[in-house]
Amino acid sequence: MSSSPLVQAIQERLRDAGYRDLSTPFKVAGVEFAFTGAMRGRDGRALDLVLLIDTTTGDYGDRDGVRVRQRVEALSRALDVTGSRYVVTAILAGAVLAEGIDALSETCRVLQVEGVSLDSQGQPADETAKLQLDNRIRVLLPLTLPLPVAEAQNGSGPAMDRIVR
């Protein structure tokens, strides 16, 4: 597990959303793959494989965009060989990588998380920071619909009621 507070905050948010940690390095088709972190979805998200790449500390050569792309492409090929249906998402946590990341988006879904304010416990510092983190990984989070608003006095109610009228 990474000592990066940002990676830990992302992992905690994904755990809250129903993802579970995979031990790293992990093996696919007899080949070992090392990433800062890896998580897998459950239930409706059971085919989600999330790779956490810490571009700030640079573990596993993660500051080099070309090496990151090569590792993710190798994992993708190994998953293809095994007939896997996993949907791979790479979360780049920290500094933006300059090279090779555009090509990475051809292999998997790429999310960039940077600049989220964290408190001393490694949690988002305030509601704005929490919303910022959620917005960066929104595609992985369950959809939450707002509760219907009670009928207002001016006659405008919930959106569906207005559409029906």
Side-chain angles (χ1 to χ4, degrees):
M1 181 178 278
S2 171
S3 59
S4 166
L6 181 57
V7 170
Q8 291 177 3
I10 294 168
Q11 286 175 315
E12 187 62 35
R13 181 62 183 105
L14 289 175
R15 281 186 206 109
D16 290 345
Y19 288 81
R20 60 182 166 190
D21 293 302
L22 293 176
S23 60
T24 56
F26 57 90
K27 283 188 175 188
V28 176
V31 179
E32 199 168 89
F33 294 95
F35 291 95
T36 301
M39 301 183 87
R40 196 178 121 201
R42 286 188 289 198
D43 302 324
R45 299 264 185 189
L47 294 178
D48 279 356
L49 176 62
V50 179
L51 306 174
L52 292 145
I53 300 166
D54 189 352
T55 60
T56 301
T57 63
D59 295 339
Y60 309 107
D62 290 347
R63 287 187 184 172
D64 182 2
V66 173
R67 287 189 63 196
V68 169
R69 181 182 51 80
Q70 289 170 343
R71 284 198 344 256
V72 173
E73 286 178 350
L75 173 62
S76 179
R77 282 191 294 278
L79 290 170
D80 285 345
V81 165
T82 62
S84 173
R85 298 184 317 166
Y86 277 118
V87 175
V88 179
T89 301
I91 299 178
L92 305 176
V96 177
L97 296 177
E99 53 193 53
I101 298 308
D102 290 334
L104 181 61
S105 65
E106 296 174 10
T107 305
C108 66
R109 179 172 35 201
V110 180
L111 305 177
Q112 178 71 46
V113 179
E114 62 174 330
V116 175
S117 301
L118 302 175
D119 62 17
S120 60
Q121 286 82 33
Q123 298 297 316
D126 53 22
E127 283 302 312
T128 302
K130 184 176 188 235
L131 183 62
Q132 193 177 35
L133 176 62
D134 282 0
N135 285 341
R136 301 254 168 84
I137 61 172
R138 177 84 51 209
V139 71
L140 298 172
L141 302 177
L143 178 64
T144 54
L145 298 174
L147 296 172
V149 181
E151 188 73 29
Q153 290 182 359
N154 65 0
S156 63
M160 286 306 294
D161 291 344
R162 285 185 277 169
I163 291 173
V164 169
R165 283 189 226 142

